[in-house]
């Protein structure tokens, strides 16, 4: 059996970001998590974990985390999978981080960025006296090196996240200046993700493109070893600026892809943390003594996308698909009216996930009443709309969906629901990479896929619905929506952005090119032996969360 | 004898070449665009073009095949597109574990199988033979992934006898090897199947 100890990073977080209230809320939210006996009727209150009592913290020990999927390259520039974030969380600090309320707080930076009046110059003060895992000093020049690599490296997954950056320079050892060609509000949020991770210039010089084989950043732990498809080990880093507060010797991430085996490892005590547990195991785990479930909404969504104008594939001009479903918004509205989201989530996910009606996460400070507006379930009205549109009822729709069991269960529930509203949904299970290919070629009528979500609403909408969006597979083009999105992206006034995104949601719901269905929740199990685990909404758990 | 060996040798060479062709062509015959699948969620056209360039997907299939074969002959199996780790290194780490597990599983299977066989032979026509045969049949019929899962549930979660997963090399700690890697997950299933 692995040695287990409790750990606490809470004290530092509380002092630095003043989230005592948030912690108290989480404490209160923890109690009801264990109550749900029998079938769940709704999502449990959000719970991110509570700080451990510093007096009860034991130094040393190994923590084993059962990960649901293997992270891809451990290189902040090249990483494309969300699971790499779990590991980066303990070994690669970012310029900014998210707290429990999904607010952006400084991490390697010392304050939020100062943005010039014209929005084109962003100045970021960074920490001094910090060292990388290899002992080399961290400074503004190192930040510049990492950002340049994100911007210029071939195959960089960060290029588009950083927006219209034209230059990055260091002014002295502790100031980074980023210059933009046009104002870009989502930049700060991007720097609170992989784009904000700072890599050791010495390690970069030595490893170059192979940085992923032995990554070095600033973090409470540093990379030790990786066995592909099996495990990743990180060990306590004595160079870390706050090393006195790191109590664990080592964290082992063990990759266990089967959800039931993850739950079993948690129950047997072989793993102290298990991520992405299944909605089927969750009700039982909630009532298991010695295990606490941490549950919170993810930032992304799952939904269905219609083919509005993608006739010749992405990159070619949009055209006329020629079906009422593509050309008449009433048909798509009728489809949305036929969906009972509550019922869907209850049937397919045991009521554990939450419903979603818009791409804006209700948990970020970009949300508003307008942004969470929801089309009610009204099959009678759906039939009226179909009649008014003068289309054949039941209206046949072919939906391509990923051929895994969960997606198919969702598709079947959807099929049953929309029948009431006058739709005949035909499910076409498709292998995942073929599905991606079909969606880009425009070879579909409707498809079901989701998006993992980012903090800034721009990242959750523009890519999918702007006329020139990189993933606008719907082939949707609405100059009014484009103008709204541009204003929201370039505005630096938060209240105005919130209002604009409310308008964006209204515009999307009128035309319905994408219908948002539900939000997955992070379902993380933690054993009592490892008190103090905290999770954030971006699907990363660990002992570094400030919140 | 020499001609026999030479014959065998060129036949294996042809088989190997055919195998590389099948593997190479098979992967490319799959539906979908590898660059697209690889890009995942962040797939703007520029990123996809960069991935194509990096993976050499813009070259003709023959050029790609030639590159694959020449590198493989020199012992370079490439790097994992997913993790960036050299494939040879991944095999080097996994192979000893696999061999060790296979040998230990074989050992357990031989001990149990021979014992059951002896019992069945000595007690021919008696209940003991039926029991041994019944167990053997059960072991053959029950899918081992299911047996593994049940084993974990009862032996690790329920009784807490073994860890639910993990591996400790035999040379390091034979007892731990048995409890972590051999007994709970693999050997039980395998042993039952072979018995």
């Amino acid at each position: 059996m692995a040695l287990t100890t409790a750990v606490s990073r809470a004290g530092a977080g509380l002092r630095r970001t003043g989230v005592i209230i948030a912690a108290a809320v989480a404490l209160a939210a923890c109690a009801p998590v264990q109550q749900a006996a029998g079938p769940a009727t709704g999502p449990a209150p959000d719970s991110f974990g509570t700080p451990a009592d510093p007096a009860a913290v034991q130094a040393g020990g190994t923590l084993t985390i059962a990960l649901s999927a293997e992270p891809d390259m451990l290189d902040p520039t090249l990483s494309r999978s969300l699971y790499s974030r779990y590991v980066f969380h303990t070994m690669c600090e970012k310029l900014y981080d998210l707290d429990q309320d999904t607010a952006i707080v400084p991490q390697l930076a010392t304050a939020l960025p100062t943005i010039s009046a014209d929005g084109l110059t962003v100045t970021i003060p960074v920490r001094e006296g910090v060292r990388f895992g290899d002992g080399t000093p961290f400074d503004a020049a190192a930040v510049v090196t990492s950002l340049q690599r994100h911007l210029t490296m071939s195959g960089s997954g960060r290029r588009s996240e950083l927006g219209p950056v034209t230059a990055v320079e260091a002014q002295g050892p502790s100031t980074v200046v980023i210059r933009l060609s046009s104002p870009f509000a989502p930049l700060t949020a991007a720097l609170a993700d992989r784009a904000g991770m700072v890599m050791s210039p010495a390690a970069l010089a030595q490893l170059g493109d192979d940085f992923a084989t032995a990554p070095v950043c600033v973090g409470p732990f540093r990379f030790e070893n990786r066995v592909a498809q099996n495990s990743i080990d990180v060990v306590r880093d004595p160079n870390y600026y706050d090393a006195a507060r790191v109590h664990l010797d080592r964290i082992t991430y063990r990759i266990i892809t089967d959800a039931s085996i993850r739950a079993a490892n948690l129950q047997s005590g072989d793993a102290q943390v298990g991520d992405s547990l299944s909605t089927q195991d969750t009700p039982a785990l909630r009532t298991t003594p010695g295990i606490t479930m941490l549950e919170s909404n993810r930032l992304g969504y799952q939904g269905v996308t219609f083919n509005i104008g993608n006739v010749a594939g992405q990159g070619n001009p949009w055209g006329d698909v020629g079906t009422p479903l593509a050309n008449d918004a009433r048909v798509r509205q009728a489809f949305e009216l036929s969906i009972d989201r509550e019922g869907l989530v209850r049937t397919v996910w045991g009521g554990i996930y939450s419903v979603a009606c818009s791409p804006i996460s209700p948990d970020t400070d970009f949300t508003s009443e307008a942004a969470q507006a929801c089309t009610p379930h009204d099959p009678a009205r759906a039939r009226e709309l179909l009649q008014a549109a003068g289309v054949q009822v039941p209206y046949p729709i072919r939906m391509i969906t990923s051929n895994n069991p969960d997606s198919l269960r969702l598709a079947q529930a959807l099929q049953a629901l929309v029948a009431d509203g006058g739709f005949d949904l035909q499910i076409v299970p498709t292998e995942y990479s073929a599905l991606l290919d079909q969606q880009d070629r425009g070879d579909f009528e409707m498809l079901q896929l989701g998006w993992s979500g980012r903090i800034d609403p721009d990242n959750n909408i523009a890519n999918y619905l702007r006329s020139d969006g990189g993933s606008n597979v719907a082939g949707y083009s609405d100059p009014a929506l484009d103008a709204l999105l541009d204003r929201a992206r370039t505005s630096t006034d938060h209240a105005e952005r919130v209002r604009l995104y409310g308008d964006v949601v209204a515009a999307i719901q009128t035309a319905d090119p994408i219908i948002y269905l539900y939000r997955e929740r992070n379902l993380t199990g933690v054993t009592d032996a490892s008190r103090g685990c905290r999770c954030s909404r971006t699907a990363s758990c660990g002992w570094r969360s400030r919140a | 004898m020499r001609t026999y060996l030479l014959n065998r040798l060129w036949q294996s060479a042809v088989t190997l070449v055919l195998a590389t062709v099948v593997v190479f062509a098979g992967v490319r015959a799959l539906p979908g665009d590898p660059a697209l699948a690889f890009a995942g969620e962040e797939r703007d056209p520029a990123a996809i073009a960069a991935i194509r360039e990096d993976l050499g997907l813009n070259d003709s299939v023959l050029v790609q095949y030639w590159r694959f074969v020449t590198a493989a002959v020199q012992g370079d199996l490439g790097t994992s597109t997913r993790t960036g780790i050299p494939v040879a290194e991944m095999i080097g780490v996994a192979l000893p574990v696999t061999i060790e597990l296979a040998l230990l599983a074989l050992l357990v299977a031989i001990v149990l199988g021979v014992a059951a066989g002896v019992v069945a032979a000595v007690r021919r026509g008696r209940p003991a033979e039926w029991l041994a045969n019944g167990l053997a049949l059960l072991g053959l019929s029950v899918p081992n992934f299911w047996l593994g899962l049940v084993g974990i549930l009862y032996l690790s979660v329920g009784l807490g006898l073994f860890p639910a997963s993990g591996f400790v090399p035999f040379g390091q700690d034979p007892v731990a090897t048995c409890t972590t890697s051999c007994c709970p997950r693999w050997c039980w299933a395998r042993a039952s199947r072979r018995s």
Side-chain angles (χ1 to χ4, degrees):
Chain A
M1 297 277 169
L3 257 164
T4 312
T5 54
V7 83
S8 167
R9 297 268 322 127
L14 289 178
R15 253 204 308 286
R16 263 185 243 124
T17 56
V19 287
I20 296 164
I21 300 164
V25 169
L27 199 72
C30 244
V33 172
Q34 306 247 353
Q35 90 191 349
T41 48
D46 280 1
S47 125
F48 303 92
T50 50
D53 174 6
V57 170
Q58 217 180 316
T62 298
L63 181 89
T64 304
I65 299 183
L67 275 190
S68 56
E70 168 151 49
D72 65 342
M73 292 194 208
L74 293 178
D75 179 328
T77 309
L78 299 174
S79 155
R80 291 170 187 280
S81 119
L82 294 173
Y83 293 95
S84 57
R85 281 185 187 162
Y86 277 90
V87 182
F88 283 141
H89 192 67
T90 50
M91 54 177 252
C92 278
E93 290 208 332
K94 306 161 287 185
L95 289 173
Y96 294 98
D97 196 13
L98 298 181
D99 70 6
Q100 184 160 304
D101 302 317
T102 331
I104 297 172
V105 293
Q107 191 169 48
L108 284 174
T110 52
L112 287 175
T114 320
I115 300 168
S116 65
D118 59 4
L120 298 181
T121 309
V122 178
T123 309
I124 300 169
V126 298
R127 283 173 184 271
E128 288 187 72
V130 169
R131 280 186 296 159
F132 287 105
D134 56 8
T136 56
F138 162 92
D139 56 11
V143 178
V144 172
T145 308
S146 285
L147 285 172
Q148 291 290 10
R149 187 169 185 262
H150 292 327
L151 289 168
T152 54
M153 188 174 174
S154 141
S156 165
R158 307 285 86 79
R159 180 73 198 85
S160 58
E161 291 173 12
L162 288 168
V165 172
T166 52
V168 188
E169 55 206 56
Q171 286 183 353
S174 61
T175 308
V176 177
V177 178
I178 299 176
R179 296 190 199 285
L180 304 164
S181 59
S182 61
F184 185 64
L187 181 65
T188 319
L191 296 177
D193 198 346
R194 285 162 292 185
M197 291 176 187
V198 184
M199 298 164 272
S200 157
L204 283 177
Q206 197 197 333
L207 297 168
D209 291 356
D210 294 332
F211 184 75
T213 55
V216 182
C217 301
V218 176
F221 296 87
R222 67 178 176 204
F223 178 82
E224 188 193 55
N225 183 32
R226 174 175 193 172
V227 179
Q229 288 166 11
N230 187 48
S231 64
I232 296 173
D233 278 44
V234 295
V235 293
R236 192 171 177 275
D237 181 6
N239 292 312
Y240 182 54
Y241 58 87
D242 209 6
R245 291 183 186 280
V246 182
H247 300 287
L248 285 170
D249 290 333
R250 168 190 298 272
I251 299 179
T252 298
Y253 296 90
R254 194 176 283 169
I255 293 123
I256 302 177
T257 49
D258 186 301
S260 331
I261 308 270
R262 271 199 306 287
N265 271 273
L266 201 61
Q267 283 166 320
S268 70
D270 292 297
Q272 288 82 50
V273 181
D275 96 285
S276 303
L277 295 164
S278 89
T279 53
Q280 282 151 341
D281 292 331
T282 297
L285 286 169
R286 280 176 181 167
T287 56
T288 306
I291 292 178
T292 307
M293 288 297 294
L294 307 180
E295 304 179 30
S296 62
N297 277 337
R298 291 193 175 165
L299 293 170
Y301 60 80
Q302 290 287 325
V304 293
T305 305
F306 297 101
N307 187 348
I308 310 284
N310 187 355
V311 283
Q314 269 201 299
N316 295 313
W318 306 136
D320 183 3
V321 172
T323 61
L325 186 67
N327 294 339
D328 192 337
R330 285 176 297 186
V331 179
R332 300 191 296 272
Q333 283 162 359
F335 192 87
E336 182 166 20
L337 285 162
S338 333
I339 302 170
D340 171 13
R341 291 182 170 89
E342 299 272 351
L344 188 72
V345 166
R346 202 169 45 240
T347 324
V348 186
W349 308 113
I352 285 169
Y353 289 163
S354 13
V355 300
C357 305
S358 87
I360 313 236
S361 157
D363 307 302
T364 63
D365 55 1
F366 290 100
T367 188
S368 64
E369 207 167 306
Q372 299 305 326
C374 206
T375 307
H377 173 223
D378 189 349
R381 173 91 187 111
R383 283 178 177 272
E384 280 172 31
L385 277 179
L386 284 182
Q387 210 150 36
V391 297
Q392 141 193 22
V393 177
Y395 186 91
I397 300 182
R398 281 165 62 85
M399 175 172 85
I400 56 173
T401 185
S402 193
N403 61 352
N404 66 65
D406 281 352
S407 298
L408 291 176
R409 275 199 301 150
L410 174 72
Q412 283 156 4
L414 203 58
Q415 184 180 45
L417 279 173
V418 298
D420 286 349
F423 288 91
D424 173 19
L425 190 69
Q426 293 147 24
I427 304 166
V428 186
T430 309
E431 197 272 319
Y432 184 66
S433 62
L435 183 99
L436 293 181
D437 194 41
Q438 261 180 282
Q439 71 162 359
D440 278 26
R441 284 190 286 113
D443 179 18
F444 69 98
E445 200 172 12
M446 179 175 127
L447 62 86
Q448 195 279 310
L449 273 179
W451 162 240
S452 63
R454 300 287 182 272
I455 313 136
D456 198 286
D458 185 68
N459 303 125
N460 300 334
I461 306 171
N463 215 10
Y464 287 89
L465 290 174
R466 249 184 79 103
S467 303
D468 60 353
S471 303
N472 180 5
V473 293
Y476 185 65
S477 176
D478 174 5
L481 181 68
D482 291 354
L484 266 180
L485 285 169
D486 277 350
R487 278 171 61 202
R489 170 188 283 193
T490 51
S491 166
T492 44
D493 175 30
H494 184 78
E496 193 196 2
R497 294 193 74 202
V498 171
R499 190 178 53 73
L500 286 168
Y501 282 117
D503 296 348
V504 165
V505 168
I508 295 172
Q509 288 179 344
T510 312
D512 268 344
I514 295 180
I515 295 175
Y516 305 93
L517 296 176
Y518 66 95
R519 257 172 249 292
E520 293 174 335
R521 285 169 73 77
N522 299 309
L523 302 171
T524 307
V526 181
T527 63
D528 284 357
S530 59
R531 281 183 301 266
C533 171
R534 309 304 219 44
C535 295
S536 72
R537 293 197 193 279
T538 46
S540 47
C541 285
W543 281 254
R544 278 298 303 133
S545 271
R546 282 284 155 66
Chain B
M1 187 65 192
R2 217 170 99 193
T3 39
Y4 173 79
L5 278 179
L6 281 176
N7 261 332
R8 281 287 161 168
L9 213 58
W10 75 257
Q11 279 167 2
S12 351
V14 169
T15 314
L16 268 178
V17 170
L18 286 179
T20 61
V21 172
V22 168
V23 166
F24 192 82
V27 170
R28 269 145 194 85
L30 290 174
D33 177 349
L36 204 59
F38 190 62
E41 281 191 324
E42 285 132 24
R43 46 193 190 83
D44 54 288
I48 290 174
I51 289 171
R52 276 216 181 91
E53 184 62 43
D54 269 6
L55 297 181
L57 295 175
N58 291 329
D59 302 321
S60 78
V61 176
L62 282 178
V63 171
Q64 291 181 48
Y65 176 72
W66 178 245
R67 215 182 286 136
F68 160 65
V69 171
T70 45
V73 166
Q74 293 160 29
D76 175 12
L77 298 175
T79 53
S80 158
T81 50
R82 195 171 157 71
T83 60
I85 302 174
V87 172
E89 194 180 301
M90 287 162 75
I91 294 176
V93 171
L95 200 61
V97 178
T98 308
I99 291 174
E100 190 173 310
L101 278 177
L103 288 178
L104 286 171
L106 201 65
L107 189 72
V108 173
I110 288 170
V111 168
L112 289 186
V114 168
V118 167
V119 166
V122 172
R123 301 253 184 270
R124 187 173 285 273
R126 307 245 188 97
E129 190 207 349
W130 292 106
L131 191 70
N133 284 347
L135 279 178
L137 188 65
L138 196 73
L140 272 175
S141 331
V142 174
N144 50 15
F145 60 86
W146 182 82
L147 202 63
L149 199 60
V150 170
I152 289 176
L153 273 181
Y154 283 95
L155 301 174
S156 306
V157 178
L159 299 173
L161 289 177
F162 305 114
S165 60
F167 173 79
V168 177
F170 191 76
Q172 204 175 70
D173 184 349
V175 181
T177 305
C178 200
T179 56
T180 50
S181 54
C182 177
C183 302
R185 203 164 172 178
W186 221 74
C187 290
W188 278 107
R190 285 288 162 156
S192 314
R193 210 182 84 169
R194 296 294 296 273
S195 72

